Amino acid sequence: MELILASSSPRRSHLLSKAGILFRTISPDVDELSAESNPELPPHELAKINARMKAEAVAESHPNSLVLAADTVVYCSGQVLGKPLDPQDAERMLTLLSGNTHEVITGVIWLNHSANSVKEFIGRTWVTFKPLNAQQIRDYISKVPVMDKAGSYALQDRGDEIVERIEGSRTNVIGLPMEPVQQWWAQDCQSRN
């Protein structure tokens, strides 16, 4: 039984490869829910629902495969920060994060249709940003491709320039908390042997 990562994220692929997990990727064709159009949803529910939609979209056409999907949101001062709309939106997000502690939330779904099994996990990590001035924020945006990243930053890409402290899983901040994923992979491998 093969594992499919329902994502086009190179960061998630890198984390799985680094852990020695064999998989292939399929980018799910779904319209994700946004915090703006669903303000009643808590951030962890938003991430979980989006991850579930991605997993189910891929599993529909690959029912005999294991499907792994994730969705990450950044939550700061009562606001859910997804991917920025444009560079000005990225500046707005980084200004909000500057000098503050925020929560990175990743919903993870491990779907096995043939066993009628769904495993869910919500990763939570607290990240404290250094105080940043407007020039530092513009410099960061000019050096790091932030447009496809929740909260407009990447821990693995010049993160030391902006992040002061992390409490919790670093891989969660990158986009895929590996602790449950490795456990699920090991369990599935043992069940097949």
Side-chain angles (χ1 to χ4, degrees):
M1 185 177 287
E2 71 170 345
L3 174 65
I4 298 174
L5 173 63
S7 175
S8 56
S9 165
R11 295 165 301 284
R12 290 182 181 129
S13 291
H14 176 74
L15 288 170
L16 286 176
S17 295
K18 194 172 159 188
I21 295 175
L22 301 175
F23 67 99
R24 69 179 174 120
T25 60
I26 295 178
S27 186
D29 185 19
V30 294
D31 292 324
E32 294 181 35
L33 299 182
S34 70
E36 294 76 29
S37 54
N38 299 275
E40 75 289 353
L41 284 176
H44 69 278
E45 281 296 319
L46 185 70
K48 185 170 75 172
I49 290 168
N50 281 334
R52 183 92 183 226
M53 288 192 310
K54 293 175 189 179
E56 288 175 350
V58 170
E60 208 171 275
S61 52
H62 299 84
N64 296 319
S65 298
L66 296 166
V67 179
L68 170 64
D71 189 67
T72 301
V73 297
V74 170
Y75 187 62
C76 183
S77 303
Q79 294 182 48
V80 174
L81 306 180
K83 296 171 185 169
L85 302 172
D86 53 38
Q88 291 74 31
D89 196 31
E91 274 189 51
R92 175 191 68 81
M93 289 183 189
L94 291 173
T95 300
L96 177 66
L97 298 175
S98 171
N100 286 317
T101 298
H102 63 272
E103 189 178 9
V104 178
I105 302 165
T106 303
V108 186
I109 301 291
W110 181 273
L111 191 58
N112 182 346
H113 262 311
S114 61
N116 199 25
S117 165
V118 179
K119 295 173 184 168
E120 298 178 350
F121 180 82
I122 302 292
R124 295 175 182 268
T125 304
W126 285 263
V127 179
T128 302
F129 261 39
K130 297 174 182 176
L132 305 170
N133 62 40
Q135 187 58 52
Q136 289 171 309
I137 289 171
R138 283 192 294 273
D139 287 349
Y140 183 79
I141 291 170
S142 72
K143 295 174 192 169
V144 178
V146 298
M147 298 308 292
D148 67 337
K149 294 169 180 69
S152 304
Y153 75 96
L155 182 63
Q156 71 283 5
D157 200 350
R158 298 179 173 275
D160 58 328
E161 294 176 13
I162 58 172
V163 172
E164 186 174 287
R165 185 175 68 251
I166 296 168
E167 297 169 58
S169 167
R170 291 183 67 85
T171 60
N172 181 52
V173 182
I174 296 170
L176 187 63
M178 290 303 295
E179 300 82 4
V181 171
Q182 288 175 297
Q183 183 181 348
W184 295 337
W185 175 251
Q187 289 169 349
D188 184 68
C189 286
Q190 288 168 0
S191 70
R192 285 181 298 181
N193 292 337

